[in-house]
Amino acid sequence: MRKVFNLVLGLALCVSASQCAFGAEPENSAVVAKLPAIPKGKETDVKFYAADGGTVIGREAFEAMHKASLVLWLAGNQFFAMDDVVRVFQKQHPGTTVGLITLPPGLLLQAIKAGGWVYSEKEYRGLPDIYASVNLGHLKQLKASGAMKSYMVYMHNELQIMVAKGNPKEITGIKDLARDDVRTSMPNPINEGIMQFYIRKVLERHEIWQAISGGKECVSCQPTKNNWFTAVHHRETPDRIKAGQSDVGVVWKTEVLEAHRAGAEVDAVVLPDEDSLRTDVAYVIGAMDASPHRKEADAFLAFLQSPQGQDAYAKFGFVKASEADLKLKPIE
C-alpha cells in the first residue's frame, strides 16, 4: 500500500505545480517513484522536432525537451507515423516545437507516475502535455490520481501474426503459436498495452497463455524454451524474425506494413475478427490537466479530429476514427 501511495504522491508532486518541466528537480523528491529507464537501443523513440524542420534523437532530444512548445508521450506502435504526423501539425501551427516519446504505454505511465526518465544514467524529469495509450484503463489511472479528466478515441488497429517471408512454418492461426516447433516473439505483459489488453485475452481464450508464458511475467526475457518477451515489441519482433531468432510474433497490422516499407522479409497471417479484435482496438488520447502548454495540447487534439490529422495516420495503415469517436468525453 505504501508503494502505491508513493507512486500517486509522486505524480501529484509533479502535476500540482507543473514542477516537472524537463531538467527540473521536484520538491520532496525522496517520495517520488524510481524513474524508469529508456530501454537500451531505443534512442530513436525519443525525438525533438525544431520549428525549422530539424530533428534530433536520444540525449540531444532530452536536452532540448524543456524548450518544446508541446510534449507528446504516445503508445510506441505509432513511431513510424510520427515524423509525418508532427510535420503536418507543425505546418498548420508554425513555430511550434514538439518533444516526442513513443514507447509502450504502460512504460510511459510509469514515467508519468515517477515524474520522468533515466537515459544513459542521467535523470530527465518532466511530464507530457499529451498522453496516449491503446486502452482506456491507463487513462483511468490518471483520472484516479487527478491528472486527466477527458479523452477521445483517435484511431483503430487490429492484430495479425507476423511470420518469416513465405510463412515457412505454415502458421494458420493463434493455436499454432503453441506448437513445439514454433518460436514466438511476444510483447511483454508488464508494460506493453498490446499484450496487457489484447493478445493475452486471445491467448487465454485459446487456452495457450500458459504454454507461451510459463506462468511468468517479465521484460526482455525467455519465460519458456520457445517464447521471448520483448521490451519494445514493434521493433524487436521484426528484428528477431529477420535474424532467425524467432519464427512468429503477434503484432499490430500497421507494424507488418511498416516492416514491408523497411524492406523486411516478413509476411502476415490475417486473423478472424474474434482474434484480430479489429472491432475492439481503440487508441485513446487526452491532455494532462496540469499541462503548461494547454493551448498547444488542445490544438493537437483538434488536429487529430481534422481530416488532415486522420489522413496523416491513415496513410500508415491505421483505421480512421469515427465522428463519434473523435468527440472529447469524460473519463469514467
Side-chain angles (χ1 to χ4, degrees):
M1 180 64 72
R2 182 172 181 80
K3 182 177 180 183
V4 174
F5 173 78
N6 284 347
L7 284 173
V8 175
L9 181 57
L11 176 57
L13 284 170
C14 282
V15 170
S16 61
S18 299
Q19 293 168 323
C20 287
F22 275 93
E25 182 74 18
E27 297 176 8
N28 199 19
S29 60
V31 298
V32 178
K34 182 179 179 181
L35 303 182
I38 298 292
K40 290 182 179 180
K42 312 304 178 188
E43 64 278 353
T44 55
D45 284 299
V46 182
K47 291 187 174 183
F48 178 83
Y49 298 88
D52 63 2
T55 305
V56 293
I57 65 172
R59 182 180 295 282
E60 287 185 84
F62 266 127
E63 296 291 344
M65 203 74 73
H66 68 282
K67 299 184 294 186
S69 309
L70 176 67
V71 178
L72 309 172
W73 291 6
L74 310 179
N77 48 14
Q78 54 199 289
F79 75 95
F80 45 82
M82 291 316 299
D83 286 352
D84 279 39
V85 170
V86 170
R87 293 310 183 197
V88 174
F89 173 72
Q90 287 182 314
K91 187 174 181 180
Q92 293 184 4
H93 299 273
T96 302
T97 54
V98 179
L100 172 72
I101 300 179
T102 49
L103 285 169
L107 186 58
L108 297 176
L109 188 61
Q110 290 175 34
I112 290 175
K113 291 177 178 179
W117 299 90
V118 172
Y119 179 73
S120 294
E121 300 182 353
K122 182 176 179 179
E123 291 188 356
Y124 292 93
R125 296 195 177 276
L127 290 173
D129 300 300
I130 295 278
Y131 168 71
S133 179
V134 293
N135 190 275
L136 188 57
H138 286 145
L139 274 60
K140 287 182 176 179
Q141 293 184 47
L142 295 178
K143 165 71 181 303
S145 61
M148 184 181 288
K149 294 187 182 70
S150 61
Y151 81 101
M152 68 184 190
V153 173
Y154 67 112
M155 62 183 174
H156 300 275
N157 213 332
E158 66 180 80
L159 300 177
Q160 291 187 342
I161 301 175
M162 182 181 287
V163 298
K165 188 71 173 178
N167 194 8
K169 290 291 184 176
E170 298 182 345
I171 303 298
T172 61
I174 292 294
K175 286 284 192 183
D176 289 330
L177 302 180
R179 283 171 21 197
D180 286 341
D181 65 326
V182 173
R183 298 166 300 165
T184 55
S185 172
M186 294 294 225
N188 77 74
I190 302 296
N191 57 45
E192 298 254 34
I194 184 175
M195 175 60 81
Q196 291 174 312
F197 301 112
Y198 300 109
I199 299 174
R200 182 167 180 166
K201 180 166 63 175
V202 175
L203 297 178
E204 288 177 341
R205 182 164 50 77
H206 283 275
E207 299 183 340
I208 63 171
W209 168 247
Q210 283 298 119
I212 296 293
S213 70
K216 300 173 185 175
E217 298 190 6
C218 52
V219 178
S220 294
C221 62
Q222 187 165 354
T224 63
K225 68 181 181 68
N226 278 351
N227 182 52
W228 176 261
F229 277 146
T230 65
V232 182
H233 85 278
H234 49 266
R235 294 187 185 275
E236 286 176 61
T237 292
D239 288 345
R240 288 184 64 85
I241 292 174
K242 287 187 293 183
Q245 296 170 312
S246 299
D247 300 308
V248 303
V250 181
V251 298
W252 297 117
K253 174 184 177 180
T254 49
E255 286 150 12
V256 175
L257 297 176
E258 170 60 15
H260 288 164
R261 283 191 293 270
E265 294 289 306
V266 297
D267 283 329
V269 175
V270 177
L271 297 169
D273 287 1
E274 63 268 22
D275 291 336
S276 74
L277 302 183
R278 60 176 59 92
T279 60
D280 298 342
V281 177
Y283 288 57
V284 290
I285 194 166
M288 301 290 289
D289 286 349
S291 164
H293 310 116
R294 191 54 190 258
K295 179 180 177 182
E296 291 81 3
D298 288 343
F300 187 75
L301 295 179
F303 164 70
L304 294 180
Q305 293 170 323
S306 72
Q308 294 83 0
Q310 289 291 294
D311 288 345
Y313 274 108
K315 68 182 289 188
F316 291 93
F318 292 100
V319 177
K320 293 182 180 182
S322 69
E323 185 176 344
D325 288 335
L326 292 167
K327 290 182 179 178
L328 283 170
K329 50 193 77 71
I331 301 172
E332 298 176 348

